[in-house]
Structures are given as C-alpha cells and as structure tokens.
C-alpha cells in the first residue's frame, strides 16, 4: 500500500511538473522551476548580487525566476528596463504585497498601494512636498540646519576615529520629521532616539531570510519566534509615534495655515469628507508617514555612508572637490542646491557615487495588472516585475569603466557636468521615487557642508576602508570608522 501511494504521488508530481512546464512555454527563458518550490536559485537572488548578473548572462535581458508559485520577471539593461517601465505604465503599475513593510495592510499609503489609492496618495504626496517648499529655499533651510547639526556631531569627535552611521541616521531622519511633523527633534530626545533605534532595526532586518519567510508565510511566522518579532515591534513603535503626532495636530490644528504634511493631509481629509472616491483617511496618513521614514531615510542614509567611505578611500578626489568649493565659494556663506551648476566636478562625483554604489539590490518590484506580450514573450497577470536598475547603472555598453569609481562618467572633455540617460538610481516610469528631489538636495547639501568643514582620513594603521557591500534589499557598506579632521581656514 505504501509503495502504491509513493508511486501515485511521484506520478502526480511528474504530471504537475509537465503541466507547469507546458503552461510556461511562452514565458521568458529561465532556469528549471519545480512544482511548489520554484527555482532554487531564486532563493539566492536576494543575498548574492552576483547571482543576478550570472543569471542575466545566461538567459538574457528578459528572463523568468520562480519563488514558490510566484513568477518573477527580471528586466535588465537600459533598453529592456526602459521599454518595460515606459511602454506598459498601467500594466506594470501595481505593487506586490509585503506584509511587514506595508504596515497597515494592502492598498495603503504610497509605496505599497496600487490602483486608485496609489494614484491619489502619490499625487497628494508630490503636491504636498512642493507646497512645503521642495525645490524652494524653505526646505533647504531645514536641510542646512540638519547639515550643521551633523557637522557639530562630527566636530565633537575631535579628529578621533568614529562610526558616522548613527549621526547620519539622526540627521536624515530629522529631515523627514520636519516635513511630516513640522519640527525636528533634539538628538538627545528620548522618544526620537527610540524612533531612530526602531528604524535602524527595521533597516537591518529588511532583506534577510526572516523577512523573506515573513513575506511569503506571514500567518505562520506571526506564531514563530525570531528577529521578525522584534521587527514587528519596531514597526509598531514607528506607527505609534506617527499616530501620536497626528493626535497632537488634530488637537492644535492649523488647517487654514498648514505647516507640515500632517496639516495638509488633515485639511484634505476635511475637504474630501463627502467624496465617495476619496482615499484620504488616517490609516493612509499613518502609512504615508511610515513610507516617508522608511524609504526617505534608508536609501539617503546608505548613499551618504557610501559617499563618506569613497571620499575617504579616494583622497585625491576629495581634495579636488574641496578645492572646487573653495575656489567658487571660499570658506563662508551657504551653498544652495542651485549652486551645483557652479560645481560641475562635485556634482559629477555625487552622481558617480550613486551609480557605482547603487544602494538597492534591484529596482522596487512592480506587479502586472494583466497579461502582457513583450518581445514575443508572455508576462502573465500577477507576475512580479523586477527592473534590474543595477544592470543599467553598471552596463559595460553604457559606461567606460562600469565597475570603477570614475567621476569622468559625468564630465565632458571641458570638465562640464553632463546628464546621462542611463543614470536611473531613482527608477523610471510612473512609479519613480516620490522623494527623489528631496534626496538629491539632502545629499548635495550634507556632503558640501561636511567637505567644507572636514578632511576625511583613514584611521592610523588602516590602509583602506572595505568597499565590499553588505547584501540585503538595501546595499550598505560594512561598518567602518574614519577620522573627520577639521579644515584649517
């Protein structure tokens, strides 16, 4: 009887495999996918960046991976990514679920929502950021203040080796606090420190094996011990922090003179109270704030951590930037984001940092809303679309020395800055990063402020800071220490 059942089960698995193989004959090429399990290599996808490049070399710029029953369609190279993201704006506009990061469930906020909710929340997010002065001097003043606070934090180290990650996280998080809540927090504020620590834990948790298991088996993982439980508790602390700030705004509201994102959102809720199509709600407001903190803090912090490491490892490039800033502005007066046009070399270095040390493993995934034919292949409804932006930023057909830190990629023969179509760290298409302008201003002002104040050097006895990445969803450098030596004026 046992032998019969085994043979029957084996026959069923073979039939299932053959049926699956036949049903996928029109899909883009990819490795063998087993029933229930999927592609074994897909589970290495998130922890080995070299797996992706090897996969693309073997199967081409449009290929298939399978995780369980989920199809992952990987789009690589400039032409393929651009075609997929711009030729199918509606078809590839949805976002797949992430039960941990979509903190309030499906269809909330900006990052993890889809359809009407996403369109309305995204439009409001962009409009609000503009009203709050994005691209104008008002937001720059707040960023300049945060940059000076960061300068003081570095100065307190008195040239001794230190890890810059926590002061950088403090500074970047406070920009989001100022935009969301209308005010920054003192670095020593106890509640703010709890928020920073919670954010830090969620960032470090994202992309590890427990996160992936939680993503695919959330109901089971809720009952199991592990670091995901602390990540969930950290998530709840951040949400609670946002809810408390919303309650304060409701109590002392300034709806006729809105000062921050919460004010604008509460005013919009009031205006849309009788609109049956409105998605403006406190749940969406809380999720938007979570989105701002998660996306607006993590990637900017990772970019700045890579930037400080590269400047330390390449003292000749650091010196060129310092000289350009000194020649144009001297040692006093503020430098605005508009001034980047006067600093072509500095601007080129910042762009090259973001290119060569792109801070995401791939672009943020999409999900297809219907069956799509692309280059003769079928991309079924519900497939997860992964724009491989790293392949664009490191494409040997587009960049002279793709793996090297080379600011000349963004300079013409006369030393003037040039924009590059292949520079896509913020994505492409209808779901490009909402906060990309904010991030650009932050990175420019933080780095120019720090470079005016300090010379970054290796600690005594250290030959070079480790440039090998820590592979998660967000790509960070290994923890490091450096010396910030005050500039002699």
């Amino acid at each position: 009887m046992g032998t019969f059942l085994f043979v029957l089960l084996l026959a069923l698995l073979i039939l299932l495999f053959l049926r699956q193989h036949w049903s996928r004959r029109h899909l883009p090429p990819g490795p063998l996918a087993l029933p229930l399990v999927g592609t074994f290599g897909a589970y290495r996808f998130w922890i080995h960046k070299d797996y992706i490049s090897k996969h693309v070399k073997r199967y081409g710029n449009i290929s298939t991976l399978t995780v369980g029953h989920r199809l992952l369609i990987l789009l690589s190279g400039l032409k393929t990514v651009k075609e997929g993201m711009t030729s199918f704006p509606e078809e590839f506009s949805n976002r797949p679920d992430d039960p941990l990061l979509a903190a309030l469930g499906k269809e909330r906020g900006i990052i993890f929502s889809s359809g009407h909710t996403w369109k309305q929340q995204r439009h409001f997010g962009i409009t609000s950021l503009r009203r709050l002065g994005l691209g104008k001097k008002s937001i720059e003043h707040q960023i300049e203040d945060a940059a000076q606070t960061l300068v003081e934090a570095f100065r307190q180290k008195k040239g001794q080796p230190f890890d810059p990650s926590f002061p950088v996280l403090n500074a970047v998080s406070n920009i989001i606090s100022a935009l969301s809540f209308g005010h920054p927090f003192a670095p020593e504020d106890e509640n703010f420190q709890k928020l920073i620590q919670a954010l830090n834990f969620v960032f470090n948790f994202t992309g590890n094996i427990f996160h992936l298991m939680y993503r695919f088996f959330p109901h089971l993982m809720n009952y199991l011990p592990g670091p995901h439980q602390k990540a969930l508790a950290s998530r709840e602390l951040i949400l609670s922090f946002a809810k408390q700030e919303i309650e304060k705004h409701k109590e002392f509201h300034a709806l006729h003179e809105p000062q921050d994102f919460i004010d604008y959102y509460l005013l919009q809720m009031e205006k849309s109270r009788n609109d049956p199509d409105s998605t403006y709600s406190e749940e969406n407001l809380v999720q938007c704030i979570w989105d701002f903190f998660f996306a607006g803090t993590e990637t900017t912090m990772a970019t700045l951590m890579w930037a400080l490491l590269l400047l330390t490892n390449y003292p000749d490039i650091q010196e060129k930037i310092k000289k350009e800033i000194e020649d144009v502005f001297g040692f006093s007066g503020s430098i605005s984001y508009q001034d980047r046009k006067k600093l072509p070399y500095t601007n080129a270095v910042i762009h090259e940092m973001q290119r060569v040390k792109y801070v995401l493993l791939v672009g943020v995934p999409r999900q297809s809303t219907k069956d799509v034919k692309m280059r003769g292949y079928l991309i079924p409804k519900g497939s997860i679309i992964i724009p491989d932006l790293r392949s664009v930023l490191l494409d040997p057909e587009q960049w002279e020395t793709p793996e090297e830190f080379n600011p000349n990629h963004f300079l013409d023969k006369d030393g003037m800055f040039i924009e590059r179509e292949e520079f896509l760290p913020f994505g492409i298409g209808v779901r490009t990063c909402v906060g990309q302008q904010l991030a650009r201003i932050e990175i420019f002002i933080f780095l120019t402020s720090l470079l005016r104040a300090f010379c970054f050097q290796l600690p005594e006895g250290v030959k070079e800071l480790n440039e090998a990445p820590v592979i998660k969803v967000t790509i960070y450098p290994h923890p490091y220490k450096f010396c910030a030596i005050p500039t002699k004026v």
Side-chain angles (χ1 to χ4, degrees), residues 47-312:
I47 52 177
H48 293 282
K49 70 181 177 69
D50 291 340
Y51 175 80
I52 303 172
S53 57
K54 289 176 182 176
H55 173 88
V56 173
K57 263 185 190 175
R58 182 168 183 182
Y59 296 104
N61 283 339
I62 176 167
S63 57
T64 302
L65 287 165
T66 312
V67 176
H69 66 283
R70 302 295 295 269
L71 284 177
L72 278 60
I73 308 297
L74 186 64
L75 307 180
S76 302
L78 176 64
K79 291 179 181 177
T80 309
V81 169
K82 189 175 179 182
E83 179 184 345
M85 296 299 101
T86 59
S87 299
F88 306 101
E90 289 296 321
E91 294 88 341
F92 293 167
S93 65
N94 275 12
R95 193 73 86 197
D97 300 339
D98 191 312
L100 182 96
L101 301 181
L104 299 175
K106 293 176 67 176
E107 299 305 309
R108 301 287 187 203
I110 300 172
I111 297 177
F112 296 100
S113 62
S114 301
H116 175 61
T117 300
W118 163 67
K119 289 178 181 178
Q120 196 166 73
Q121 298 297 314
R122 178 185 170 87
H123 174 76
F124 183 79
I126 293 171
T127 303
S128 299
L129 287 174
R130 285 181 184 150
R131 287 173 179 162
L132 289 166
L134 199 53
K136 301 176 185 176
K137 286 298 291 181
S138 56
I139 186 61
E140 285 199 34
H141 286 317
Q142 296 183 65
I143 296 173
E144 286 168 10
D145 289 344
Q148 289 311 308
T149 301
L150 186 59
V151 166
E152 288 308 310
F154 279 26
R155 201 183 302 280
Q156 288 172 13
K157 305 301 180 181
K158 298 181 179 178
Q160 295 301 306
F162 72 101
D163 179 348
S165 58
F166 209 68
V168 168
L169 179 57
N170 263 339
V172 175
S173 298
N174 245 334
I175 297 297
I176 304 298
S177 295
L179 281 170
S180 300
F181 309 141
H183 59 89
F185 291 87
E188 63 275 9
D189 185 288
E190 186 178 342
N191 288 327
F192 182 59
Q193 285 307 314
K194 287 180 180 176
L195 174 70
I196 294 296
Q197 289 164 9
L199 278 168
N200 206 28
F201 188 85
V202 173
F203 295 161
N204 289 326
F205 177 81
T206 304
N208 71 20
I209 188 63
F210 284 93
H211 179 203
L212 296 180
M213 289 173 68
Y214 191 88
R215 182 169 188 171
F216 292 108
F217 311 105
H219 299 298
L220 173 63
M221 293 296 286
N222 279 333
Y223 295 99
L224 297 177
H228 61 289
Q229 296 293 354
K230 185 176 178 181
L232 291 170
S234 297
R235 182 191 74 179
E236 291 309 307
L237 189 149
I238 299 165
L239 296 177
S240 175
F241 195 95
K243 289 172 184 175
Q244 289 173 24
E245 286 290 334
I246 292 168
E247 289 304 313
K248 289 178 189 174
H249 279 66
K250 286 163 69 177
E251 189 176 348
F252 304 103
H253 63 84
L255 296 189
H256 299 296
E257 294 182 8
Q259 303 296 312
D260 53 49
F261 182 75
I262 293 178
D263 281 343
Y264 277 113
Y265 202 102
L266 292 174
L267 178 60
Q268 188 62 41
M269 282 173 59
E270 186 70 25
K271 287 179 178 177
S272 307
R273 183 184 294 176
N274 298 319
D275 180 359
D277 294 324
S278 170
T279 62
Y280 299 108
S281 65
E282 282 195 36
E283 292 82 7
N284 267 319
L285 171 55
V286 174
Q287 181 68 45
C288 283
I289 294 170
W290 160 266
D291 289 348
F292 289 160
F293 270 101
F294 183 76
T297 300
E298 185 178 23
T299 51
T300 302
M301 180 193 170
T303 300
L304 289 169
M305 291 299 294
W306 279 116
L308 295 173
L309 182 150
L310 289 170
L311 289 169
T312 306

